Amino acid sequence: MTTDPSPLRGSTPASSPASDVYVLSFPKCGRTWLRVLMAKAISLHWGLPMELCRDLRLEEFSAVDPRIPTITFWHDDRVGWRTPAQLSTDKEPYRGSRVVFLTRDLRDTTVSYYFQRSLRPDNPYAGPLGEFIGEAEGSLRTCVEFWNIWQARQDVPRAFLLTSYERLASDTAGELGRIMDFCGLPDVGPRALAEAVAFASFPSMRAMELSDAFDSERLRPGKPGEPESFKTRRGIIGGFRDYLTRSQTDGIDELIRTALVPEWHALAFAADGLHGEPPGAAQS
């Protein structure tokens, strides 16, 4: 696989014990939200304390109860720090595992990742949003190529499940149940799913981030007092419209149409007609 330009950022499946399940995505597609949803549902269904899930690592549950499959969340191939040309097309390390691939509207993803890169403490990006969109490393083109690779390699893992932030937002309990069943966690009842959804609602996640409830960098603002630096930043589907000019949006749309495999265009434009409140937001 490609040598990671930032080797301290994490390991690869080939260099660590294989997990039963990998949950993969480009940064800012809702992985932390899904991680909290699944952790709470597992905790409730198996009667295990959330405190076992240190740093929101779901592998800690399987270490205590072997009935629970090992589930690893990560940004495959450290995609947020690579150019398209640096991405590995070798997915053989996943052959014996199940893969959940989480997507999000690419315009929302790009804007959200810009704020993470520019406002969170890990190697901050210094330029404006318009400049970031065209960056070679870890921006829109990288995400498009990452999706292209996985669309072509989805038959390599033992099983592959495609889901999205928007699908989770529209039916959180139903989609959470579908994902957990795929992961080998069947029969989680509607009550546990509903409690997990309430626990991981946007207001609840924001409150947990403010209080550092998990004592984890995974759910902690990059700059206290700066709303755009939160992991639970806004969560609004179609929120990119508040940040991108028409010209910038048209440029992104054109790149997606010409560079992304047509089969996944609907995922890339998933916010069209769906923008609104963040998932779990209180309704008046």
Side-chain angles (χ1 to χ4, degrees):
M1 297 179 72
T2 306
T3 301
D4 195 329
S6 304
L8 296 181
R9 296 189 186 282
S11 61
T12 67
S15 63
S16 58
S19 284
D20 298 312
V21 182
Y22 288 95
V23 181
L24 308 178
S25 76
F26 196 79
K28 305 308 294 180
C29 285
R31 279 189 336 132
T32 300
W33 179 34
L34 180 55
R35 188 193 290 260
V36 174
L37 282 166
M38 292 184 70
K40 187 62 174 179
I42 291 170
S43 170
L44 291 166
H45 184 67
W46 274 271
L48 298 171
M50 280 287 287
E51 289 74 18
L52 284 175
C53 192
R54 293 170 295 179
D55 200 27
L56 288 173
R57 288 175 50 85
L58 270 66
E59 299 96 323
E60 304 291 349
F61 286 133
S62 59
V64 173
D65 190 332
R67 295 175 301 169
I68 302 171
T70 55
I71 302 171
T72 298
F73 282 69
W74 85 307
H75 299 306
D76 171 46
D77 199 25
R78 312 310 298 174
V79 292
W81 301 95
R82 298 195 189 278
T83 66
Q86 291 174 328
L87 293 175
S88 173
T89 60
D90 177 16
K91 302 307 174 189
E92 283 300 313
Y94 297 100
R95 184 166 290 281
S97 304
R98 296 176 178 271
V99 167
V100 177
F101 196 81
L102 177 63
T103 68
R104 186 184 184 188
D105 184 291
L106 283 180
R107 298 156 299 183
D108 279 336
T109 300
T110 301
V111 169
S112 190
Y113 192 42
Y114 165 73
F115 284 113
Q116 175 163 308
R117 284 288 302 271
S118 61
L119 295 176
R120 296 185 70 83
D122 189 14
N123 190 18
Y125 181 80
L129 173 58
E131 200 171 281
F132 178 75
I133 293 168
E135 284 289 342
E137 180 189 276
S139 191
L140 177 64
R141 287 178 174 83
T142 299
C143 188
V144 167
E145 182 59 18
F146 178 59
W147 283 22
N148 283 339
I149 290 169
W150 268 108
Q151 196 279 333
R153 301 292 190 273
Q154 60 185 287
D155 61 336
V156 174
R158 175 186 170 195
F160 183 87
L161 181 71
L162 187 62
T163 186
S164 70
Y165 182 89
E166 293 80 16
R167 185 164 179 161
L168 268 172
S170 66
D171 179 14
T172 307
E175 188 64 4
L176 175 60
R178 187 175 82 101
I179 292 168
M180 295 191 70
D181 184 67
F182 172 84
C183 291
L185 299 164
D187 304 322
V188 178
R191 181 172 179 177
L193 292 173
E195 287 189 38
V197 171
F199 180 80
S201 70
F202 189 89
S204 177
M205 290 273 287
R206 174 55 69 92
M208 287 188 282
E209 187 166 359
L210 282 167
S211 66
D212 198 16
F214 289 107
D215 189 25
S216 171
E217 287 292 339
R218 303 181 196 279
L219 195 62
R220 185 180 291 157
K223 290 184 178 181
E226 172 52 74
E228 299 287 14
S229 77
F230 278 66
K231 280 283 190 177
T232 47
R233 190 180 63 84
R234 291 181 76 201
I236 296 175
I237 295 173
F240 69 87
R241 296 177 178 88
D242 297 331
Y243 300 92
L244 299 176
T245 66
R246 169 52 60 186
S247 176
Q248 289 169 338
T249 302
D250 289 345
I252 291 173
D253 291 357
E254 180 63 20
L255 188 150
I256 292 169
R257 292 190 185 100
T258 57
L260 181 66
V261 290
E263 291 85 351
W264 283 13
H265 280 189
L267 299 169
F269 298 116
D272 288 351
L274 296 176
H275 56 287
E277 292 292 331
Q283 303 293 319
S284 58

